Amino acid sequence: MAEPVSFVRTFRAPGRVNLIGEHTDYNLGYVLPIALNLATYVEVHRRGDGRLHLLSEQKPEELSWAVEELAGAQPRKHWSDYVIGVAQQLIRRGYSIAPCLLKIRSDVPEGSGLSSSAALEVASALALLGGRAIDKVELAKLCRAAENEFVGMPCGIMDQYVSVFGERGAAVQIDCRTLEHRVVQLPEGVSVVVVNSKVKHELGNSAYRDRVSECAMAVAAVQHWHPEVQSLRDVTLQHLADIPMPELVMRRARHIVTDTMRVELFVNAAARGNLREMGMLFVDSHRSMQHDYEITCAEVDFLAEAAMEIPGCIGARMTGGGFGGCTVNLVATEYVASFTREIVNRYSERWGIEASVFVVEAGEGAGEVRSVEPEGAGSLAG
Ligand code: ADP
Ligand code: MG
């Protein structure tokens, strides 16, 4: 006999696109992401066999662990690390893991800079909690800790935070030091269009680690003169002009300092409805990632440059960790269809790759999908 339908619960967590402020999160600066309506869904089926089973629609194999093994499990360099890392973080915080099967499906493209990883972590955490209440900041932090410590990726908090705190119809400005945010509306008449280059250069993960340590070198250089400085969030352009450090380290720091400033400038420009300034900040941010932070690649540089030549495009920049993935474009709404055709044509003529394009609809943050109303459903606190 089939399981009663009320035993199956589904939890959803969105991917995101970051508008501006790239790699600033782990430097405790500002970021301005939008939660997508593309999301990862995890269905929880109770099991009586003492094991946690994982099955992802995108992957061939089903895996399982005895529940009591989870606390001591080791990473396998495998997609399951994202889920098992989250299970371990929950156990450390005193939450028990009940035997179950997690069935995962997702419409967030993997490895495209739209944060399928955080969507998987947050949806899995909610599924493993099974409706037990948790503070929302704590949820974001434990998912980030899973990615840092178990997956081994030294990412900041942005992806997990916006997956939890996303707002329908708006962007979210996150202060990555205080872990507070505010909701930011974009002006009428402008659409956010994501173009996926469909390339991902292998360099990405090791370069990410290099950037994290180059930023730490810049902080150490500034601390020598200003011991109160804790992170690049506290560093100014004047510091970078005055304090000796290797040229490469200075450029890395300059990207972080200026991109954090650009988040605030962008939010102010959006409040004034100044599309021209918003667009210029996008272009400046792209150039800063290209020349100072050196995290772009020829394909996304092409996409960002070509976009600016297409009627209706206000601004274009790479979004996400870098070395491929997506660009994010501000496009006057009446030009979206012609912009889409033109950017796809130009990219395929130059690179022979069919880019995929979508117009962003800001979705809400993670939660339970209430298609069947279960009894005693828990809620997120905080
Ligand atoms: P991004 O977060 O930008 O999509 P990452 O490299 O950080 O890129 O994370 C992608 C990885 O997350 C995939 O390689 C895979 O291991 C894991 N992942 C994401 N979504 C799923 C899914 N639905 N099923 C299984 N693994 C997934
Ligand atoms: Mg990721």
Side-chain angles (χ1 to χ4, degrees):
M1 211 175 75
E3 273 187 338
V5 71
S6 61
F7 281 20
V8 180
R9 297 175 67 165
T10 305
F11 297 85
R12 169 194 171 276
R16 60 97 188 98
V17 58
N18 188 28
L19 288 182
I20 196 160
E22 217 64 72
H23 286 251
T24 46
D25 59 350
Y26 56 80
N27 290 295
L28 308 189
Y30 293 118
V31 290
L32 186 65
I34 298 180
L36 300 175
N37 58 5
L38 305 175
T40 298
Y41 297 84
V42 179
E43 250 178 50
V44 194
H45 300 252
R46 287 270 171 255
R47 283 290 153 93
D49 62 356
R51 300 184 74 79
L52 171 65
H53 301 259
L54 302 183
L55 186 60
S56 169
E57 213 171 58
Q58 267 103 320
K59 310 287 171 187
E61 70 285 54
E62 178 175 333
L63 301 145
S64 76
W65 288 255
V67 161
E68 64 269 20
E69 280 170 14
L70 288 169
Q74 293 297 316
R76 301 177 175 190
K77 300 274 167 243
H78 183 263
W79 66 266
S80 58
D81 290 351
Y82 294 90
V83 185
I84 302 305
V86 162
Q88 275 192 357
Q89 291 293 330
L90 286 169
I91 292 167
R92 281 193 211 166
R93 287 165 175 76
Y95 293 98
S96 58
I97 303 293
C100 59
L101 162 67
L102 301 186
K103 271 191 174 172
I104 300 157
R105 72 190 156 83
S106 182
D107 37 47
V108 186
E110 270 183 38
S112 301
L114 301 177
S115 201
S116 67
S117 58
L120 177 58
E121 289 151 12
V122 174
S124 300
L126 290 178
L128 291 168
L129 284 162
R132 286 172 287 180
I134 188 165
D135 176 78
K136 288 168 87 169
V137 172
E138 198 54 33
L139 173 61
K141 280 174 151 175
L142 80 85
C143 290
R144 177 197 179 187
E147 188 152 342
N148 290 167
E149 294 167 29
F150 202 76
V151 177
M153 183 66 183
C155 61
I157 190 103
M158 167 170 68
D159 302 355
Q160 295 81 7
Y161 191 103
V162 70
S163 187
V164 172
F165 283 98
E167 286 276 338
R168 190 187 292 272
V172 179
Q173 181 187 0
I174 306 167
D175 180 332
C176 298
R177 182 157 59 188
T178 64
L179 299 184
E180 291 166 339
H181 70 274
R182 65 170 163 145
V183 175
V184 174
Q185 300 290 342
L186 296 185
E188 293 280 308
V190 61
S191 296
V192 177
V193 180
V194 167
V195 180
N196 189 345
S197 70
K198 304 265 187 73
V199 299
K200 179 80 199 164
H201 296 289
E202 270 313 311
L203 186 63
N205 283 358
S206 65
Y208 197 105
R209 279 171 240 286
D210 292 345
R211 296 300 174 275
V212 173
S213 53
E214 288 155 3
C215 288
M217 286 157 77
V219 171
V222 178
Q223 271 173 340
H224 183 75
W225 303 92
H226 301 278
E228 72 284 2
V229 162
Q230 299 289 314
S231 70
L232 288 180
R233 169 66 176 272
D234 304 317
V235 171
T236 63
L237 288 176
Q238 195 60 52
H239 289 142
L240 298 183
D242 293 345
I243 294 167
M245 63 181 85
E247 193 265 349
L248 178 128
V249 171
M250 190 283 295
R251 283 191 289 116
R252 302 302 190 237
R254 186 167 62 191
H255 165 73
I256 299 300
V257 171
T258 57
D259 230 33
T260 277
M261 287 161 48
R262 279 188 282 269
V263 173
E264 288 201 281
L265 293 169
F266 185 92
V267 168
N268 291 337
R272 285 181 277 111
N274 189 335
L275 300 182
R276 211 180 104 80
E277 192 180 337
M278 290 163 68
M280 277 167 44
L281 289 162
F282 260 44
V283 172
D284 290 348
S285 177
H286 187 87
R287 298 229 167 95
S288 176
M289 291 188 289
Q290 183 179 0
H291 302 299
D292 274 355
Y293 221 56
E294 296 182 280
I295 52 169
T296 66
C297 61
E299 294 89 343
V300 297
D301 288 339
F302 176 89
L303 279 176
E305 256 162 55
M308 291 308 292
E309 293 168 3
I310 300 175
C313 186
I314 296 158
R317 58 182 289 280
M318 187 192 75
T319 183
F323 302 97
C326 295
T327 58
V328 58
N329 303 266
L330 296 174
V331 180
T333 301
E334 70 265 33
Y335 285 93
V336 165
S338 54
F339 172 83
T340 301
R341 276 194 305 276
E342 188 64 22
I343 194 77
V344 169
N345 284 342
R346 290 193 188 198
Y347 188 64
S348 107
E349 265 171 33
R350 171 65 183 82
W351 298 95
I353 303 169
E354 183 88 1
S356 59
V357 179
F358 65 89
V359 181
V360 171
E361 280 175 57
E364 59 194 24
E368 183 160 11
V369 181
R370 310 273 183 157
S371 47
V372 179
E373 201 60 46
E375 276 177 38
S379 60
L380 292 176

